[in-house]
Amino acid sequence: MSDALLEVRDLVKHFPIGGGMFTKPVGVVRAIDGVSFSIRKGETLGLVGESGCGKTTTGRCILQLERPTSGSIVFEGIDMVTLDAAELRAVRRRVQVIFQDPYSSLNPRMTIGQILAEPLKVHGIRRDKGERELRVRELLAQVGLLPQHDKRYPHQLSGGQRQRVGIARALAMEPALIVCDEPVSALDVSIQAQIINLLEDLQSRLGLTYLFIAHDLSVVRHISDRVAVMYLGKIAELADRKAIYDEPLHPYTRALLSAVPIPDPKIEAKRERTVLRGEVPSALKPPSGCVFHPRCPIAVDRCSAEIPPLREIRPGHWAACHLA
Ligand code: SF4
């Protein structure tokens, strides 16, 4: 895709288990097992799946907090996987993260003003103290906080305000891509909508691109242009938002959607639910063939023997299912 800001190709991340300096690992957790997708400039890609599906590890590989086992992560035309530490430093500035729990990532002994000024100083984005103070005020205003918030400490703010600080800190680096790792999961529902609206507003004003990671499809519905559904280290389905919600092709996506409540009680009472059998299997010993087959309500014999490739079933609509 020519206008892609980020291209992830055949990404694999395995974590060896056990073993020491002189002993071999006893197993391998296949956290990501051949994931490919791209994100266009200015787009939001929702990345959804249950806990342990590999979505957060995918985000961490893009942020280079984890080095992939294999595959490429091309950002603005540069494969980040091939860069050394010094080269990475420059690229990293352009890829920022917003965490689920900003409280644990904000230094409790620093004021909000100091927290926001620190990256400006460390990365030489604003060398002059006066310029930094001006930029901190600008950042606070951009995320809907008041100038006087710069004197407060993290514990003096509400959860929503702290997440606004987390967003401002990401913006301070003037990024092109922001990995939003479950940024609203820890917040009250009423605050969630405010933060999502703020992220959308910032995207249109600053031309930002988002990878928005979430564990259910209801959260990403509003904000995503396209959605990728992950299951046990692989992409099960990837399509435009409308296609994912209106015409899901993969049984796992259909099951996730059936768990999303519908506000209309009449429709809610009538619709059929797909309840998945059992738990997500361990990534230490994934099932043979289609990794979803032990839980799939429509599995056939072939499913336990053959891995279904991710195929473009309709233009722009990809699914990894033999029966799609
Ligand atoms: Fe279900 Fe088979 Fe499709 Fe996998 S390939 S999702 S087991 S029908």
Side-chain angles (χ1 to χ4, degrees), residues 250-251 290 292-293 296 298-300 303 308 320-323:
H250 197 285
C290 173
F292 186 56
H293 86 259
C296 182
I298 58 165
V300 292
C303 300
C321 173
H322 294 308
L323 306 186

Side-chain angles (χ1 to χ4, degrees), residues 25-318:
V26 291
V28 166
V29 174
R30 296 167 172 270
I32 313 173
D33 223 1
V35 159
S36 299
F37 60 83
S38 13
I39 313 181
R40 300 179 201 110
K41 197 171 182 318
E43 183 187 38
T44 298
L45 178 73
L47 187 61
V48 177
E50 291 164 284
S51 99
C53 72
K55 57 190 192 300
T56 292
T57 308
T58 303
R60 288 178 62 82
C61 286
I62 291 168
L63 291 157
Q64 295 294 307
L65 298 172
E66 301 281 358
R67 287 299 235 178
T69 305
S70 62
S72 63
I73 300 171
V74 179
F75 170 70
E76 293 185 326
I78 299 167
D79 186 357
M80 294 200 280
V81 175
T82 63
L83 301 182
D84 64 27
E87 291 166 326
L88 254 185
R89 215 173 121 82
V91 179
R92 239 188 208 146
R93 215 187 100 180
R94 307 268 300 146
V95 186
Q96 288 298 303
V97 61
I98 301 168
F99 292 107
Q100 177 179 349
D101 176 12
Y103 198 41
S104 60
S105 67
L106 302 177
N107 187 334
R109 283 182 287 276
M110 286 167 84
T111 64
I112 302 307
Q114 289 167 334
I115 288 169
L116 296 180
E118 194 186 35
L120 300 175
K121 191 175 175 184
V122 171
H123 292 270
I125 300 169
R126 296 286 190 282
R127 292 184 192 280
D128 177 79
K129 189 164 179 269
E131 277 182 23
R132 281 199 294 276
E133 284 171 2
L134 215 63
R135 179 66 176 141
V136 166
R137 279 204 287 280
E138 199 176 87
L139 287 165
L140 288 172
Q142 271 182 336
V143 298
L145 292 172
L146 300 169
Q148 53 268 36
H149 281 120
D150 76 336
K151 301 279 181 299
R152 307 252 176 98
Y153 287 88
H155 75 272
Q156 295 173 309
L157 301 183
S158 67
Q161 287 172 329
R162 283 200 289 264
Q163 193 52 292
R164 286 173 192 268
V165 175
I167 296 169
R169 189 176 51 179
L171 294 180
M173 305 293 276
E174 296 164 12
L177 173 70
I178 301 185
V179 175
C180 306
D181 190 2
E182 307 235 17
V184 297
S185 308
L187 303 173
D188 290 348
V189 176
S190 58
I191 310 292
Q192 285 186 1
Q194 290 175 17
I195 296 294
I196 298 245
N197 288 342
L198 171 65
L199 288 169
E200 283 190 316
D201 181 43
L202 290 167
Q203 181 171 46
S204 59
R205 277 197 284 142
L206 305 174
L208 297 166
T209 303
Y210 296 142
L211 175 67
F212 196 103
I213 297 171
H215 60 266
D216 74 62
L217 278 161
S218 59
V219 173
V220 296
R221 182 171 202 149
H222 188 62
I223 197 165
S224 303
D225 297 299
R226 289 185 305 141
V227 176
V229 177
M230 274 188 88
Y231 186 80
L232 217 56
K234 294 176 186 292
I235 295 207
E237 185 162 5
L238 193 163
D240 282 352
R241 171 181 49 182
K242 189 162 169 26
I244 283 277
Y245 290 91
D246 294 353
E247 299 169 276
L249 295 174
H250 197 285
Y252 179 57
T253 312
R254 290 202 285 266
L256 284 184
L257 275 172
S258 86
V260 173
I262 295 175
D264 185 330
K266 281 189 195 147
I267 303 175
E268 177 71 26
K270 272 196 236 150
R271 78 176 170 148
E272 282 181 29
R273 286 208 184 280
T274 311
V275 180
L276 292 177
R277 299 177 293 211
E279 299 289 316
V280 181
S282 163
L284 198 58
K285 207 166 177 277
S288 60
C290 173
V291 285
F292 186 56
H293 86 259
R295 302 176 79 198
C296 182
I298 58 165
V300 292
D301 287 350
R302 185 184 171 196
C303 300
S304 57
E306 280 177 45
I307 298 173
L310 187 66
R311 293 178 295 132
E312 191 169 20
I313 314 271
R314 295 176 194 151
H317 194 152
W318 300 70

